[in-house]
Structure formats: C-alpha cells, structure tokens
C-alpha cells in the first residue's frame, strides 16, 4: 500500500494519528450527544435522587465521578467505533455516493418537510 515508503517513526505516527482521531471523535460524540461528564442525579453537592432523598459527597468526589463518567463514555464509544470499523467491510466510493444521493438525501428532505409541518401545526 501507500505506507511502503514510510518506516519506523513515520509509520508509527500515521498509526498513532488514527487512534488519536478515534479518541477525539469519541470525545466530541460524548460531549455533544451523550451528556459529556454528567451522571444521572449527580449535582454539585452530591446525588439528589427522585423522591427527595439525597447523598452528600465532597466536591472532589463529585469531580472525580464526573471525570470518570466522561472517560468511561469516551472509552465505550471508542470501542464501538473500533468494532464497527474492523467488523464491517469498506464501501467503495461509488457505493457511498449512491447511498448519499439515493437514500440519505431523500430521507433528509422528508425529515425536513415533516419537521416543518409539525412545527407549523404545533404553533
């Protein structure tokens, strides 16, 4: 492949950059879609469960739980990315273009129309 002219450190940096990309994308996905560092029912003072019961925690414990939550979420999303990447076959460029133009674009257009109708109907 195209990696034949790269040896030792250059090849290592290419491979390392792929794994760094997985961590960065996982961090962005966790931040945008999976609540970032939030833990259910965890506030600034500790846990506040539904029904009024609370469990007070020191601030350092709350921060450590939030950091641990973010790290675990990033790890799980990264594992999922690696599993999908190594399990599913790659699409050819023409297959990706056909998928985008013939399937994803019409679905996006229908979604836009339905969303506009629902917004107009509920106002």
């Amino acid at each position: 492949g195209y990696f034949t002219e790269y040896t030792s450190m250059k090849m290592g940096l290419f491979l390392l950059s792929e794994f760094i990309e997985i961590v960065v994308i996982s961090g962005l996905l966790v931040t945008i879609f999976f609540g970032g560092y939030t833990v259910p029912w965890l506030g600034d003072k500790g846990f506040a469960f539904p029904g009024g019961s609370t469990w007070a925690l020191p601030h350092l414990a709350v921060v450590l739980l939030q950091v641990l939550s973010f790290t675990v979420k990033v790890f799980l999303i990264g594992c999922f990315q690696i599993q999908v990447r190594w399990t599913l076959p790659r699409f050819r460029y023409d297959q990706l273009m056909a998928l985008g133009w013939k399937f994803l674009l019409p679905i996006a257009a229908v979604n836009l129309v339905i969303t506009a109708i629902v917004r107009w109907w509920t106002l």
Side-chain angles (χ1 to χ4, degrees):
Y2 60 93
F3 281 131
T4 55
E5 66 267 9
Y6 298 110
T7 58
S8 65
M9 282 303 285
K10 292 179 185 175
M11 178 72 167
L13 288 176
F14 273 115
L15 295 177
L16 184 65
S17 69
E18 291 183 20
F19 288 109
I20 290 173
E21 177 263 337
I22 288 173
V23 172
V24 169
I25 294 299
S26 298
L28 285 172
L29 281 171
V30 166
T31 302
I32 295 171
F33 297 111
F34 292 104
Y37 61 85
T38 58
V39 177
W41 303 298
L42 181 64
D44 293 339
K45 304 292 182 190
F47 286 100
F49 297 108
S53 61
T54 60
W55 187 23
L57 292 173
H59 184 66
L60 180 63
V62 171
V63 170
L64 289 176
L65 280 174
Q66 290 173 339
V67 169
L68 180 68
S69 168
F70 183 79
T71 306
V72 166
K73 289 177 185 180
V74 167
F75 178 76
L76 291 176
I77 297 295
C79 288
F80 178 72
Q81 280 183 336
I82 290 172
Q83 182 180 8
V84 167
R85 183 178 183 180
W86 290 348
T87 303
L88 298 177
R90 294 184 192 171
F91 286 106
R92 293 188 323 256
Y93 183 72
D94 61 326
Q95 292 172 329
L96 285 174
M97 292 299 288
L99 176 72
W101 285 105
K102 294 178 183 176
F103 183 71
L104 295 177
L105 186 64
I107 287 177
V110 168
N111 184 23
L112 184 66
V113 169
I114 290 173
T115 304
I117 291 171
V118 168
R119 288 287 294 162
W120 177 74
W121 188 265
T122 57
L123 286 179

